[in-house]
C-alpha cells in the first residue's frame, strides 16, 4: 500500500470513529486496539443482535457470530438486526446479522456460523477470540462457555434479559468470580423465558449496552480494564429496581475456577434432544450432510416444503420442521422429545 493510500485510509478511519476517539477513555490508541480486537458472540437473538450492532458500529475488527436458529416474525419486536424479509425467508440469524452489519460497516470482518455451540465444536468456534459474549437463552450453553473461558483464561460476559429485567456479569478468569462461583448449579424449578414471560426491547437494549461497554474496556485493556465492573448487576426497567452482588473474587472451592472440573466442556450428561423454546424441540444428536433438493423431493408427498441455501422448512400438520445442512433440526409444535425424535426418524432418517 502506498503512503498516499495509507494516508487516505487513516483519514477515513479517524473520521468514521472521530466521536469515539474524542472520548478520553478510548482515544486513538484505544480505537486501534478495538480495530484489532476479535469478539465471539454466542447466540444472536435479542441481546446477541444488540451486542453485535453496538460493537460493529464501535469498530471492533472481527465479530464471530454463532447461532443455531433462524429469523421469525416474533423476533422483530426486539432483535434489532433483522427485518421482515429475513423472517419471510427464514434466514439464519447469523447470516442475517452479517448481512446487516456489512451494510453499515463494511470495513470490519463478520464471520457467521450457523451452529449450535456444543462440546465437540466449542474449541474450533471460539479459538483465537479475545472476548466471548453471551447472547444465548439457556444455562446449559452458558456453563459450557464458562468452562471453556476458565480453562483457556479467556474473558467473557454473561448477559440475559427477560420480561423487564436484565442482568450481566463480567468474568475475568483468575481475577473475578466465574458463573459457577455465583450459580454453582443450574437453576431449579420454573425458569422465566421470553416465551412465558415476554420481554421488553428496552430491557434488552439496556443490558446489551452495559455488556458492550464492558467488552470495549476488555479489548482496550490498560487503564480501561481497571474500570471493569466487578459485580453481578441487574436492573428492572419497569419497576426501576436494581441490585448488585459482589463478584470481585473467585469463590473458594468453585467447581470450575477452583477445582477446575470442566464437566460441561467434557459433555457429561448433555442430552442430544433438547427443548428449544417456542413450543419446539431441537435434535442435534448426529451430524449428517443434507442435500436439500433431494430432501424436498422426498418430503413433498407428505406436506409443504420449501428451502433456500441455508434451511429447509417442512410442514406436516400440526408440526413444522426446520432442517439445517448439517442434519440438525428444530421441530415446532411439540414439547415432547419423543414425538420430535419420531418425526425426525420418519422423515429424515434414524
Amino acid at each position: 500500500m502506498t503512503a498516499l493510500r495509507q494516508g487516505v485510509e487513516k483519514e477515513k478511519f479517524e473520521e468514521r470513529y472521530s466521536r469515539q476517539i474524542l472520548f478520553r477513555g478510548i482515544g486513538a490508541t484505544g480505537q486501534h486496539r478495538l480495530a484489532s480486537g476479535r469478539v465471539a458472540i454466542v447466540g444472536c437473538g435479542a441481546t446477541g443482535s444488540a451486542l453485535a450492532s453496538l460493537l460493529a458500529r464501535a469498530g471492533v475488527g472481527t465479530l464471530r457470530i454463532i447461532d443455531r436458529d433462524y429469523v421469525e416474525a416474533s423476533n422483530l419486536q426486539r432483535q434489532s438486526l433483522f427485518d421482515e424479509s429475513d423472517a419471510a425467508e427464514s434466514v439464519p440469524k447469523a447470516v442475517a446479522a452479517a448481512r446487516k452489519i456489512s451494510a453499515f460497516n463494511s470495513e470490519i470482518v463478520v464471520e457467521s456460523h450457523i451452529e449450535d455451540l456444543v462440546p465437540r465444536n466449542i474449541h474450533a468456534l471460539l479459538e483465537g477470540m479475545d472476548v466471548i459474549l453471551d447472547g444465548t437463552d439457556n444455562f446449559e450453553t452458558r456453563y459450557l462457555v464458562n468452562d471453556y473461558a476458565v480453562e483457556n483464561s479467556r474473558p467473557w460476559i454473561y448477559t440475559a434479559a427477560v420480561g423487564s429485567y436484565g442482568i450481566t456479569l463480567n468474568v475475568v478468569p483468575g481475577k473475578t468470580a466465574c458463573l459457577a462461583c455465583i450459580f454453582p448449579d443450574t437453576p431449579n424449578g420454573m425458569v422465566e423465558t421470553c416465551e412465558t414471560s415476554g420481554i421488553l426491547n428496552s430491557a434488552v437494549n439496556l443490558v446489551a449496552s452495559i455488556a458492550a461497554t464492558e467488552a470495549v474496556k476488555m479489548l482496550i485493556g490498560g487503564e480501561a480494564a481497571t474500570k471493569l465492573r466487578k459485580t453481578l448487576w441487574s436492573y428492572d426497567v419497569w419497576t426501576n429496581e436494581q441490585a448488585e452482588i459482589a463478584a470481585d473474587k473467585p469463590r473458594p472451592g468453585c467447581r470450575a475456577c477452583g477445582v477446575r472440573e470442566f464437566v460441561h466442556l467434557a459433555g457429561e450428561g448433555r442430552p442430544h434432544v433438547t427443548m428449544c423454546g417456542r413450543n419446539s424441540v431441537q435434535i442435534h444428536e448426529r451430524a449428517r450432510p443434507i442435500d436439500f433438493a433431494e430432501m424436498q423431493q422426498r418430503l413433498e408427498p407428505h406436506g409443504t416444503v420449501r428451502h433456500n441455501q441455508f434451511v429447509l422448512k417442512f410442514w406436516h400438520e400440526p408440526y413444522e420442521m426446520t432442517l439445517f445442512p448439517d442434519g440438525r433440526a428444530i421441530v415446532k409444535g411439540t414439547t415432547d422429545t419423543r414425538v420430535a425424535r419420531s418425526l425426525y426418524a420418519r422423515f429424515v432418517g434414524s
Side-chain angles (χ1 to χ4, degrees), residues 314-321 331-334 339-340 343 347:
F314 170 53
W315 289 267
H316 179 77
E317 292 298 335
Y319 307 106
E320 173 189 309
M321 181 184 295
V331 179
K332 190 172 182 179
T334 183
V339 170
L343 287 166
F347 293 112

Side-chain angles (χ1 to χ4, degrees), residues 28-105:
T29 299
Q31 190 63 53
H32 283 284
R33 287 177 180 169
L34 290 179
S36 62
R38 298 172 60 82
V39 173
I41 300 174
V42 182
C44 196
T47 53
S49 60
L51 286 166
S53 179
L54 288 165
L55 293 178
R57 292 181 186 277
V60 173
T62 299
L63 296 177
R64 181 174 295 170
I65 300 174
I66 305 159
D67 192 280
R68 67 190 182 186
D69 212 346
Y70 56 93
V71 182
E72 296 183 286
S74 63
N75 302 149
L76 303 181
Q77 165 259 348
R78 65 196 178 281
Q79 299 184 15
S80 56
L81 282 178
F82 311 133
D83 58 33
E84 292 178 353
S85 64
D86 296 322
E89 298 170 16
S90 300
V91 179
K93 292 180 180 180
V95 172
R99 288 175 176 174
K100 296 302 188 300
I101 290 170
S102 67
F104 65 75
N105 194 344

Side-chain angles (χ1 to χ4, degrees), residues 119-139:
R120 64 174 170 77
N121 65 16
I122 189 169
H123 289 89
L125 289 175
L126 298 184
E127 183 180 7
M129 297 292 102
D130 299 315
V131 177
I132 305 164
L133 298 183
D134 170 23
T136 69
D137 59 1
N138 66 89
F139 267 90

